[in-house]
Amino acid sequence: MPSRARLTIDLAAVSDNWRSLRDRAAHGRCAGVVKADGYGLGADRVGKALKEAGCRQFFVAQTDEAVALRRALPEAEIFVLGGLLAEDLPEFQEFSLTPVLNDPGQVLLWLAAGNGRPAALHVDTGMNRLGLRMREMLDLLEDPAIRQGPWRLLLSHLACADEPDHPLNDRQRADFSLLRARLPQVPASLANSSGIFLGEGWHGDLLRPGIALYGGNPTPGRPNPMKPTVRVQVPVLQVRQADAGETVGYAAAHVTTRPTRIATVSYGYADGYIRAASGKGAGWLDGHKLPVLGRISMDLMTLDATDVPEGLLHPGTLIDLIGPDRSLDEAAADAGTIPYELLTNLGRRAERIYRV
Ligand SMILES: *Cc1c(COP(=O)(O)O)cnc(C)c1O
């Protein structure tokens, strides 16, 4: 009898998703974003699967992630989005990592200490998070030594790509185009998953999808063009019957309004089911919805199984949080969050099963 949640990851579907995005690319090139341990699915396994599919460029957030990924992908180009911190220089050299330079200091540091190895330039066009400011970039480009630096990629990141009508998309593209014209020999990359679907005008030379590889819908509000890649199943530990008017869970946040069958499952916020899903999320069993009752605990949560037919539910029964009855995007919406947050947390304590 399983006592642990099960995360089943369809690597073939991840690869199919990558190929379908690459086929859309205006210039045929598509990277894979595998930060946060491949959005929680295992950066090494996802990375190897993408490599088999033909992916050659990978993005992670942190130097440690890049070092770990290097072991799985000895040949790949690994970009570190977090930038170049001076104390990480030895790792960048030893593991042939490619920094994404985020401010003028990092640019100068790499020119001085990068041994001529390639780096990416990140210019901010609307996030105000990381990246050189437009002005800083234009000033740097006054210097011919900087214009002729070892630049592998010019990149920027879209703030509102999942809202196709948002005026910022056009503004960011226009600013980015202006810089591309100043560095015509350097490949450019602007589009995350949703950016790919804004149209070829946003593609540049290299696509940078993350969530769409993992089956998240890059076109919210429209049908999902991606294949699902994950199933999350959580085991029932106990089934109990409560009368109307009883309390359930911490803070007695739920009071039953009818005789209620409660399924207690081995899954809680320490497993990555965010506590904010208390009273909102749901499990699914053979098409039946089992709403979360009351607060989510650290290791447990309680589901309303009253409407599940007798005989379907026992200790050990696996309830889907994400699966045939509920997509990643729907499950995230139920829980009051976005697919990114749900996905990057869900696998923390789960048994991972890979399908290839
Ligand atoms: C996370 C990230 C991506 C991937 O974004 P998705 O929306 O998951 O496709 C691309 N570029 C940068 C800079 C990122 O931080």
Side-chain angles (χ1 to χ4, degrees), residues 33 35 39 81 129 155 157 192-194 208-212 340:
V33 180
K35 60 194 182 187
Y39 286 45
L81 289 165
R129 190 175 67 168
L155 78 83
H157 192 49
N192 68 332
S193 297
S194 292
R208 285 195 325 270
I211 194 73
Y340 299 77

Side-chain angles (χ1 to χ4, degrees), residues 115-136:
N115 295 336
R117 289 200 50 255
L121 296 170
H122 180 183
V123 60
D124 175 59
T125 53
M127 286 289 284
N128 259 317
R129 190 175 67 168
L130 286 176
L132 291 112
R133 296 179 65 78
M134 284 289 285
R135 186 72 260 155
E136 291 172 329

Side-chain angles (χ1 to χ4, degrees), residues 26-266:
H27 295 94
R29 291 202 152 269
C30 185
V33 180
V34 295
K35 60 194 182 187
D37 196 25
Y39 286 45
L41 305 187
D44 49 350
R45 296 299 300 265
V46 168
K48 283 182 181 166
L50 292 179
K51 186 204 130 204
E52 290 300 313
C55 183
R56 294 290 171 267
Q57 276 105 8
F58 296 85
F59 287 85
V60 295
Q62 300 175 359
T63 310
D64 287 357
E65 295 178 330
V67 169
L69 187 63
R70 174 55 78 213
R71 294 184 216 288
L73 300 172
E75 310 273 305
E77 196 166 5
I78 302 175
F79 293 91
V80 181
L81 289 165
L84 177 67
L85 303 179
E87 59 265 36
D88 289 351
L89 255 175
E91 274 90 359
F92 277 90
Q93 299 293 8
E94 181 180 349
F95 297 98
S96 298
L97 309 177
T98 309
V100 175
L101 305 173
N102 283 322
D103 67 35
Q106 294 183 3
V107 173
L108 298 178
L109 177 60
W110 192 252
L111 284 176
N115 295 336
R117 289 200 50 255
L121 296 170
H122 180 183
V123 60
D124 175 59
T125 53
M127 286 289 284
N128 259 317
R129 190 175 67 168
L130 286 176
L132 291 112
R133 296 179 65 78
M134 284 289 285
R135 186 72 260 155
E136 291 172 329
M137 188 73 169
L138 290 167
D139 285 349
L140 284 179
L141 292 179
E142 295 292 314
D143 180 346
I146 290 182
R147 281 205 299 280
Q148 285 144 30
W151 312 132
R152 183 72 181 90
L153 201 61
L154 174 68
L155 78 83
S156 193
H157 192 49
L158 296 165
C160 309
D162 57 348
E163 297 174 58
D165 297 330
H166 200 291
L168 192 53
N169 291 319
D170 279 318
R171 278 215 307 268
Q172 289 194 260
R173 179 170 75 140
D175 281 352
F176 192 60
S177 300
L178 199 134
L179 286 170
R180 283 182 76 180
R182 302 292 303 275
L183 282 171
Q185 78 283 15
V186 179
S189 175
L190 181 59
N192 68 332
S193 297
S194 292
I196 295 167
F197 292 82
L198 290 176
E200 293 199 349
W202 278 264
H203 286 192
D205 303 296
L206 181 71
L207 307 179
R208 285 195 325 270
I211 194 73
L213 297 175
Y214 310 105
N217 186 359
T219 60
R222 289 185 278 152
N224 189 349
M226 313 316 298
K227 287 190 180 178
T229 69
V230 290
R231 181 170 195 179
V232 179
Q233 297 166 289
V234 301
V236 174
L237 295 180
Q238 208 176 78
V239 184
R240 50 200 302 126
Q241 186 67 36
D243 299 327
E246 290 195 42
T247 62
V248 182
Y250 285 121
H254 182 79
V255 179
T256 54
T257 56
R258 57 173 180 169
T260 302
R261 190 143 51 110
I262 299 171
T264 303
V265 296
S266 175

